[in-house]
Amino acid sequence: ASTFKPEQARVPPALQLPSPPITKFKIGLCQLSVTADKERNIAHARAAIEEAAEKGAKLVVLPEIWNSPYSNDSFPIYAEDIDAGPDASPSTAMLSEAARLLKITIVGGSIPEHSGDKLYNTCCVFDADGKLKAKHRKIHLFDIDIPGKITFKESQTLTAGETPTVVDTEVGRIGIGICYDIRFQELAMLYAARGAHLICYPGAFNMTTGPLHWELLQRARAVDNQLYVATCAPARDVDGGYVAWGHSTLIGPFGEVLATTEHDEAIIISEIDYSQIELRRTNLPLEKQRRGDLYQLVDVQR
């Protein structure tokens, strides 16, 4: 095994998993119905966040595109300038205030963001003081064409993000991906190499790929990297232009489904126990068994 050079399998070498501020806590996944009424969507999301916090959640996750219908026509209309402050971004202003008042960490799903002349699909993370800790712009755009099933091209309106996002929070080190980002295992491997305890993927898989791939991809990302994976989707609207699969889920570091739901509105409360990461990595010491003599994952930005 000494000839495998596992430390060379990740370049730069993987960071040691940091000691989280808290080892065990409750997470809330808010599977929300989304309408064309933006003010209603914001108020509805706030009520769900408050309910999750009342049930003990220290981390609350929202769905992808929760303040707007999911369509290329809607993105420019509902987009907000997050960097311009609360008046220009009522959605993130609500998230900041809710996080501060409830003393929780919020992974704010995603909303359409306009910055200059570009539009992004953006997830904001707020700490328990209401401070914006990170902003992840969807890296891999959802451009798909399955004849007779579904055609959607986010690139018609959206610009791809350029930066992987790992953020230290009161509930551990979290990697952020948005929906289609989950299909690219290299991103999850990069997050694991940067010491993430948990990867959150707000997402809205559709009725074609959802039944086949949604849970499969979550479990694969978790078991390959021996960490927690949390996903949060919108509730299904069969009359909407884009019909989401739903099934928000929490996966453990052994690939086990810890909590999930169907397609209706729901608030899932489940427990994360980071000691399970160390246990699984001790039982299955993948990091020590990687073949750095044969392959490498290169973290370009690090």
Side-chain angles (χ1 to χ4, degrees):
S2 62
T3 64
F4 292 171
K5 301 179 181 178
E7 71 284 350
Q8 295 182 19
R10 300 186 192 270
V11 181
L15 300 176
Q16 184 175 355
L17 192 70
S19 297
I22 184 172
T23 302
K24 189 182 295 186
F25 63 93
K26 289 183 179 178
I27 183 173
L29 309 175
C30 300
Q31 184 163 292
L32 305 173
S33 64
V34 179
T35 71
D37 185 339
K38 187 178 187 179
E39 288 188 4
R40 177 266 179 201
N41 294 336
I42 293 173
H44 191 57
R46 178 165 191 149
I49 293 169
E50 291 172 347
E51 182 177 340
E54 288 174 4
K55 293 180 177 179
K58 293 299 182 184
L59 170 64
V60 176
V61 185
L62 295 187
E64 181 185 25
I65 307 292
W66 57 267
N67 72 343
S68 159
Y70 189 91
S71 73
N72 280 317
D73 292 338
S74 297
F75 295 152
I77 299 170
Y78 289 76
E80 299 177 2
D81 188 342
I82 296 169
D83 294 335
D87 291 340
S89 183
S91 298
T92 58
M94 179 277 288
L95 296 177
S96 173
E97 183 178 62
R100 177 176 57 83
L101 293 176
L102 298 169
K103 296 299 178 187
I104 59 173
T105 300
I106 296 178
V107 174
S110 77
I111 65 170
E113 176 199 13
H114 66 79
S115 180
D117 60 351
K118 294 181 179 179
L119 287 173
Y120 299 95
N121 185 342
T122 301
C123 175
C124 293
V125 181
F126 292 91
D127 67 13
D129 293 325
K131 179 183 177 182
L132 179 62
K133 294 285 290 183
K135 187 169 70 170
H136 177 79
R137 290 168 170 167
K138 189 173 187 176
I139 294 174
H140 305 94
L141 296 183
F142 179 60
D143 284 8
I144 185 173
D145 185 10
I146 302 177
K149 295 289 187 177
I150 181 172
T151 298
F152 200 101
K153 296 188 182 300
E154 280 188 328
S155 62
Q156 290 178 351
T157 55
L158 300 177
T159 299
E162 299 292 337
T163 308
T165 304
V166 176
V167 54
D168 285 313
T169 74
E170 293 98 338
V171 290
R173 184 169 293 177
I174 302 176
I176 304 293
I178 299 175
C179 200
Y180 207 54
D181 285 340
I182 199 173
R183 288 192 177 273
F184 299 88
Q185 66 268 37
E186 297 88 349
L187 182 63
M189 292 168 65
L190 185 150
Y191 287 163
R194 291 187 183 184
H197 301 96
L198 162 70
I199 306 177
C200 290
Y201 292 101
F205 267 47
N206 56 73
M207 297 297 293
T208 300
T209 59
L212 290 169
H213 300 156
W214 180 234
E215 182 182 299
L216 173 68
L217 287 165
Q218 296 173 59
R219 297 184 68 191
R221 299 296 84 85
V223 76
D224 283 351
N225 298 289
Q226 298 176 306
L227 43 63
Y228 282 87
V229 167
T231 61
C232 190
R236 190 179 305 169
D237 178 3
V238 295
D239 298 319
Y242 181 94
V243 183
W245 172 240
H247 293 79
S248 302
T249 303
L250 176 67
I251 306 291
F254 209 47
E256 69 275 37
V257 178
L258 297 175
T260 190
T261 188
E262 295 293 327
H263 59 268
D264 294 325
E265 276 204 318
I267 297 177
I268 305 165
I269 305 294
S270 190
E271 186 173 78
I272 286 178
D273 181 357
Y274 287 144
S275 69
Q276 289 297 306
I277 297 177
E278 184 178 354
L279 173 65
R280 297 310 183 185
R281 292 182 180 184
T282 299
N283 294 161
L284 274 173
L286 302 183
E287 199 60 42
K288 298 177 182 178
Q289 298 168 334
R290 297 190 187 282
R291 292 294 301 269
D293 56 324
L294 299 179
Y295 51 75
Q296 294 178 333
L297 172 75
V298 180
D299 186 341
V300 174
Q301 294 181 351
R302 194 160 69 89

